[in-house]
């Protein structure tokens, strides 16, 4: 049985104030390494084949800081900028026809107190704003935009690197200690998620009969979570028989 991500109703907590506070805390923590910056991006899309994609799942770090599920975002928090910077791709009218209107990132930036830039080449926007920064913390998932930009800085020729960061660190060094500390609303959400996980297991156990396939039971549990307004926090694992993990 896996854990559950439970998203409380919006009226139960002030999400905007929470995310603004988290961004301010990150900037304050970066002050110890001044001048320093943190670079985080949206999760990349995953493709089954051709244009057929898996369901999008946001980077947990970006979601923690912004509450956004938008694709293609890059967030830069820097001690050298007055406000955090959000870089978003231009709106593609063809994709709007196929998938509907994307999240309103203008409104998102306004709520978070961020500057917003729409750019087809986000690397240029980020690199320009990293001039004068000494330390850059960026995520190390090799398929993320933040990693690509961080590597570009790291591997830049000496003559280009003079005004760019000279020291580098994993974004976890900044974010992991912050994410370990849970506020009262987060604790309530965790308790609610644990309660739902127990309910789902209790509801589905009678369906576990001889002959049922592991993937069938997995989908039953996933469905029971979703009717409760939840998503699995990671892929549900169902394993049985002699080769199952113990």
């Amino acid at each position: 049985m896996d854990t559950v991500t439970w998203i409380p109703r919006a009226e139960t907590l002030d999400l905007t104030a929470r995310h603004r506070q988290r961004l301010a805390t990150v900037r304050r923590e970066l002050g110890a390494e001044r001048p320093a910056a943190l670079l985080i991006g949206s999760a990349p899309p995953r493709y089954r084949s051709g244009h057929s994609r898996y369901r999008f799942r946001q980077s947990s770090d970006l979601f923690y800081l912004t509450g956004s599920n938008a694709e293609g975002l890059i967030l830069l928090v820097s001690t050298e900028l007055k406000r955090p910077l959000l870089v978003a791709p231009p709106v593609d009218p063809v994709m709007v026809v196929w998938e509907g209107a994307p999240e309103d990132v203008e409104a998102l930036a306004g709520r978070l107190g961020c500057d917003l830039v729409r750019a087809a080449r986000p690397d240029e926007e980020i690199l320009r704003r990293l001039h004068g920064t000494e330390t850059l913390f960026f995520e190390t998932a090799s398929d993320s935009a933040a990693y690509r930009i961080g590597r570009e800085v790291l591997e830049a020729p000496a003559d280009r690197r003079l005004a760019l960061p000279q020291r580098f660190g994993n974004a976890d060094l900044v974010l992991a200690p912050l994410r370990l500390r849970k506020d009262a609303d987060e604790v309530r959400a965790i308790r609610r998620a644990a309660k739902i996980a127990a309910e789902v297991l209790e509801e589905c156990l009678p369906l576990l009969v001889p002959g049922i396939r592991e993937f069938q039971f997995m989908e039953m549990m996933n469905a029971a979570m979703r009717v409760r307004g939840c998503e699995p926090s990671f892929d549900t694992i169902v394993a049985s028989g002699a080769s199952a993990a113990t």
Side-chain angles (χ1 to χ4, degrees), residues 220-243:
M220 291 175 186
M221 291 200 297
N222 288 344
M225 293 178 207
R226 291 185 176 117
V227 297
R228 290 169 167 81
C230 307
E231 289 289 337
S233 58
F234 52 85
D235 290 342
T236 303
I237 300 171
V238 177
S240 62
S243 61

Side-chain angles (χ1 to χ4, degrees), residues 150-204:
R151 283 294 300 268
E152 184 176 345
V153 176
L154 184 63
E155 297 173 355
D159 60 320
R160 283 190 56 211
R161 207 168 55 239
L162 291 177
L164 293 172
Q166 304 291 314
R167 300 166 56 198
F168 303 89
N170 193 314
D172 286 349
L173 295 174
V174 177
L175 294 177
L178 302 181
R179 295 187 62 176
L180 281 174
R181 298 193 291 269
K182 309 298 183 186
D183 61 31
D185 282 319
E186 288 176 298
V187 171
R188 280 193 289 272
I190 291 169
R191 287 174 175 162
R192 176 62 174 153
K195 183 175 184 294
I196 290 173
E199 290 175 358
V200 167
L201 184 59
E202 183 177 3
E203 177 181 309
C204 292

Side-chain angles (χ1 to χ4, degrees), residues 204-218:
C204 292
L205 274 178
L207 306 175
L208 190 59
V209 296
I212 193 171
R213 306 289 295 273
E214 292 172 348
F215 78 89
Q216 293 172 322
F217 192 69
M218 175 194 72

Side-chain angles (χ1 to χ4, degrees), residues 112-132:
L112 296 175
C114 295
D115 291 324
L116 174 68
V117 174
R118 285 196 178 272
R121 296 173 61 89
D123 305 41
E124 295 178 356
E125 297 292 337
I126 297 296
L127 292 174
R128 184 162 61 85
R129 288 167 173 81
L130 286 177
H131 280 214

